[in-house]
Amino acid sequence: MSFLKAEQPQLFKDHAYKEIKKGIIQHKVEPGSMLYERSLSDSLGISRTPLKLALQQLELEGWLQSVPRKGIVVQTINKHDVDEIFQLRKANEVLAIELLIPLLDDETIDKIEKVDKQLFDIKEDPIQFMYADSSFHLFLAELSQNHRLHQLIQNLTDHVNWYGLVAIKAGISLDEVSSEHKSIIEGLKARNLRQTTDAVLNHLIHSHRTIIANLEE
């Protein structure tokens, strides 16, 4: 595996944290794989001290696990965790739509369509598509004008992307995902709460089922 090297000493710990987490989210470091401090230190171009601090933070956040007499293991993706994340997504994203519908005007709809168009333009790049998909959902939450709700959904995004890449790698139809987004937008254009929330839930249920169906036993 390879990582970008840090350029400024004061950023070593943060750089290592971001690079390792990005590698995990993008499955460049596969779930269940071992990480070794020496190789990480060499690859990142930093000393062991800031690396250890970064690893400790990643472990506290649940990305890694220290196993006695074995080393550092990347957490695996399991059904229970995926279920929990999608339960939270459904509740929070439906609430975002409930708050957003009364605030909609034609200018806001145009902005939503422009954000969605980015997905159509990058369908050939699975990782960029994954990030664009989560950005679409985050944008809807931001437009709800509930800062705490937006923050809650943003806090889920890293795990959503980590799990979502399972679905993309399994061959989920990106055209179908794009179509599901179009259904959400059609509901927003109609200012129809039921139509929009049904479209959101259908999209999340489809993603959830695909991820669960393709988890390694």
Side-chain angles (χ1 to χ4, degrees):
M1 71 188 82
S2 62
F3 298 97
L4 294 174
K5 290 182 168 57
E7 296 179 358
Q8 301 180 46
Q10 67 268 28
L11 297 179
F12 283 170
K13 180 257 186 180
D14 290 341
H15 177 86
Y17 167 83
K18 291 175 182 176
E19 278 294 296
I20 296 169
K21 185 164 78 168
K22 182 175 73 175
I24 294 171
I25 291 169
Q26 296 182 1
H27 293 236
K28 292 177 180 177
V29 184
E30 291 291 346
S33 62
M34 296 292 301
L35 295 180
Y36 301 97
E37 288 188 13
R38 177 173 292 180
S39 61
L40 286 173
S41 177
D42 291 343
S43 182
L44 290 160
I46 64 174
S47 67
R48 297 283 186 90
T49 300
L51 175 61
K52 285 180 181 292
L53 292 173
L55 294 173
Q56 287 171 4
Q57 184 175 347
L58 289 164
E59 184 171 7
L60 284 172
E61 294 178 5
W63 295 98
L64 305 174
Q65 181 181 7
S66 295
V67 181
R69 296 183 299 279
K70 189 173 182 181
I72 303 164
V73 182
V74 178
Q75 290 283 21
T76 56
I77 298 174
N78 62 73
K79 181 181 182 301
H80 177 75
D81 290 342
V82 175
D83 287 346
E84 285 192 345
I85 290 293
F86 273 86
Q87 286 167 3
L88 291 170
R89 286 194 73 185
K90 289 174 187 176
N92 288 319
E93 293 191 30
V94 165
L95 176 56
I97 295 300
E98 290 175 356
L99 296 173
L100 173 58
I101 291 282
L103 304 174
L104 285 172
D105 55 29
D106 291 342
E107 182 180 354
T108 304
I109 293 290
D110 287 342
K111 290 178 181 178
I112 294 169
E113 290 189 302
K114 286 178 182 177
V115 170
D116 179 65
K117 185 178 181 297
Q118 296 173 10
L119 275 85
F120 183 82
D121 293 339
I122 57 174
K123 284 190 295 184
E124 302 306 315
D125 187 331
I127 289 177
Q128 290 305 312
F129 185 92
M130 170 191 73
Y131 285 122
D133 178 58
S134 59
S135 293
F136 173 80
H137 291 272
L138 276 171
F139 187 56
L140 296 182
E142 181 182 356
L143 291 172
S144 76
Q145 297 185 16
N146 185 316
H147 174 73
R148 288 178 175 81
L149 177 61
H150 177 251
Q151 189 64 52
L152 282 170
I153 294 174
Q154 192 167 43
N155 290 343
L156 301 175
T157 298
D158 284 340
H159 279 84
V160 167
N161 288 336
W162 189 34
Y163 303 157
L165 200 54
V166 171
I168 292 175
K169 289 171 69 176
I172 190 173
S173 170
L174 301 189
D175 285 326
E176 192 170 350
V177 172
S178 183
S179 176
E180 290 167 0
H181 279 211
K182 294 292 188 295
S183 295
I184 295 169
I185 293 172
E186 288 304 311
L188 293 172
K189 284 181 175 180
R191 277 65 165 178
N192 188 311
L193 178 59
R194 178 64 181 272
Q195 180 183 346
T196 311
T197 54
D198 283 353
V200 168
L201 289 172
N202 178 65
H203 177 51
L204 295 180
I205 289 168
H206 181 209
S207 299
H208 186 193
R209 286 175 177 169
T210 303
I211 293 167
I212 294 298
N214 288 280
L215 289 181
E216 294 184 4
E217 296 297 332

